[in-house]
Amino acid sequence: MPLASIPSPSQGVWYLGFVPIRAYALCIVLGVIFAVWLSERRWRARGGQAGTIIDISVPAVIFGLIGGRLYHVITDWQTYFGDRAIKKPYQALFIWEGGLGIWGAVALGGVGVWLACRRRGLSLSAVADTVAPGIIFAQAIGRWGNWFNQELYGGPTTLPWGLEIDQLHGGEPGVLYHPTFLYESIWDVLLGFALLWAGKRFALHHGRLFALYVAGYTLGRFWIEGLRIDPVGGVDHAVTLLGLRLNQWTSIVVFIGALVYFWLTRNKDSEEFILPADVRAAAASGPDPAHGVDQADSVGDADTASEATAEAGEADKAPDDTPDPEVVRADAPAAAVVAEDVAPKEEPASEKSAAEEPAAEEPVREELVREDDAREDDATPKQEETPEAVQQEKNSR
């Protein structure tokens, strides 16, 4: 007997009244919630609108569940159809009983994401790169549902982390099996952190980070799949081709496709749209007329706000042309000088009334002219009278 082992749960279903709570479905839901949470944070950090990933996740999850179940039923059709079927055909719809193919989930789930991105005018490649780490972490969480269902286990082993499988699920007494679900979960977690690091370190865009996720997952899935002994594609055996299981061949094909895509897009640097088409159109047409000049648009461009802030900073740095009150009136109190400079200057009452009153009558005007002439005569200096001048004046008379 081995000294250590991993026991399998005694049950994978609990009942809340008459409502069954299945561990497999619960693990899938927890994985989806974590993936959406992480992807939403990454999308906002990239400059996208809040709530975008949550909206996109709805069709993605629906299409992904359908695609994952279809792949499982197609590749393991003899379990539900034919003379050797061990389940009823309608049980092919019972997703909560287990059986989701990751290949179908990613493929058809991608269709749901594409439709949502197309409706909003977003770049599919940008969304794919954003959600890639979240998907692999969701797979790591979801794999624990296989532990509760006692499925996806490997061949016999004597390792201390061997997995116990009861006879109802194909195990033999006293025999331990490779916990391939655990291997894949650990691999997925490590790959998830590697994607986070690579995306930040190398700025992988245009679907290259998603391609790296696909290549990394299929690489691990290939050797883990080789340890499994559970029947896939048949009732009592797995479908093989040239000594490899069906999922191994799928991993090879998808791995090569991911590497080819990664290489072909190595120099791609075109713009990726992370804001909806209507928001981009509104930003291109200028500020909203319904808003005030100093009122920020709720969906305005961040660059415009940055430019406005920079202009405000330059205005603060501009020299002030207002004369210093201390220089103008050094002998006056500071408060009085400031009040005198700030208060508007008023014209004297006499000048103001003279400007506002209508023109005077003609006699008054002539009198003013005579007074002016008199003042001018008074201002002219008189010459000193001499005897010659007096005699000359008498002769002229």
Side-chain angles (χ1 to χ4, degrees):
M1 291 291 295
L3 298 178
S5 63
I6 300 176
S8 290
S10 59
Q11 66 181 92
V13 184
W14 299 269
Y15 286 90
L16 186 62
F18 62 90
V19 178
I21 307 298
R22 301 183 181 272
Y24 182 86
L26 186 61
C27 291
I28 296 295
V29 171
L30 290 177
V32 170
I33 293 175
F34 183 84
V36 172
W37 171 80
L38 178 61
S39 301
E40 181 71 17
R41 287 175 57 89
R42 285 170 50 80
W43 184 254
R44 293 200 306 268
R46 191 170 178 177
Q49 286 185 321
T52 300
I53 300 300
I54 297 177
D55 294 339
I56 293 178
S57 65
V58 175
V61 171
I62 295 175
F63 278 76
L65 290 176
I66 296 175
R69 190 60 175 179
L70 285 176
Y71 183 89
H72 165 73
V73 174
I74 292 174
T75 56
D76 202 10
W77 64 272
Q78 296 184 68
T79 302
Y80 306 95
F81 308 99
D83 298 336
R84 303 175 60 192
I86 59 177
K87 292 184 178 181
K88 300 296 183 181
Y90 62 84
Q91 289 183 284
L93 303 175
F94 295 174
I95 297 179
W96 53 87
E97 292 184 354
L100 288 175
I102 185 61
W103 316 113
V106 173
L108 206 56
V111 174
V113 174
W114 174 74
L115 292 174
C117 290
R118 184 177 181 182
R119 185 170 63 252
R120 290 169 172 78
L122 303 175
S123 295
L124 176 61
S125 59
V127 175
D129 290 331
T130 301
V131 303
I135 293 177
I136 196 64
F137 282 124
Q139 292 177 233
I141 298 173
R143 275 305 176 201
W144 286 87
N146 302 128
W147 177 54
F148 284 95
N149 285 352
Q150 297 192 44
E151 58 186 4
L152 272 65
Y153 51 86
T157 182
T158 58
L159 294 172
W161 54 80
L163 180 65
E164 299 177 8
I165 300 294
D166 59 34
Q167 294 182 339
L168 182 63
H169 294 87
E172 297 180 6
V175 179
L176 300 181
Y177 301 88
H178 279 287
T180 53
F181 84 92
L182 180 61
Y183 298 161
E184 186 170 336
S185 181
I186 295 175
W187 179 273
D188 293 345
V189 170
L190 295 177
L191 179 58
F193 284 111
L195 292 176
L196 292 175
W197 173 82
K200 186 176 181 180
R201 174 65 177 81
F202 302 104
L204 299 175
H205 299 303
H206 295 283
R208 286 191 288 270
L209 188 65
F210 188 84
L212 192 62
Y213 145 70
V214 173
Y217 175 74
T218 52
L219 181 63
R221 181 64 182 268
F222 178 83
W223 68 268
I224 294 173
E225 190 72 21
L227 298 175
R228 290 171 56 178
I229 62 173
D230 58 312
V232 176
V235 175
D236 53 4
H237 66 282
V239 176
T240 60
L241 178 63
L242 300 178
L244 297 178
R245 292 163 64 97
L246 177 62
N247 285 332
Q248 286 182 295
W249 283 109
T250 305
S251 297
I252 293 174
V253 174
V254 177
F255 176 79
I256 295 174
L259 291 184
V260 170
Y261 179 88
F262 190 88
W263 174 259
L264 293 178
T265 58
R266 66 190 185 280
N267 296 323
K268 192 173 183 180
D269 58 355
S270 58
E271 182 182 4
E272 291 183 294
F273 299 117
I274 60 175
L275 292 175
D278 56 345
V279 176
R280 297 197 306 271
S285 61
D288 189 352
H291 293 172
V293 176
D294 57 346
Q295 183 177 359
D297 197 338
S298 60
V299 294
D301 193 358
D303 295 338
T304 304
S306 301
E307 293 177 1
T309 305
E311 292 177 2
E314 295 297 331
D316 294 338
K317 297 178 182 178
D320 190 2
D321 295 332
T322 305
D324 191 353
E326 297 296 335
V327 177
V328 177
R329 298 186 59 184
D331 56 342
V337 173
V338 173
E340 182 174 316
D341 291 340
V342 173
K345 296 183 179 180
E346 297 184 357
E347 298 179 357
S350 59
E351 297 180 2
K352 183 176 180 181
S353 59
E356 294 177 354
E357 290 179 356
E361 296 180 358
E362 191 66 23
V364 177
R365 185 180 303 165
E366 293 177 357
E367 182 178 357
L368 292 176
V369 172
R370 286 196 300 271
E371 290 178 359
D372 292 339
D373 293 341
R375 282 196 296 269
E376 290 178 0
D377 294 341
D378 294 339
T380 304
K382 296 182 179 180
Q383 296 181 355
E384 184 178 356
E385 295 183 354
T386 61
E388 292 80 5
V390 173
Q391 185 63 35
Q392 184 177 0
E393 183 178 357
K394 291 181 178 180
N395 293 336
S396 62
R397 292 177 182 175

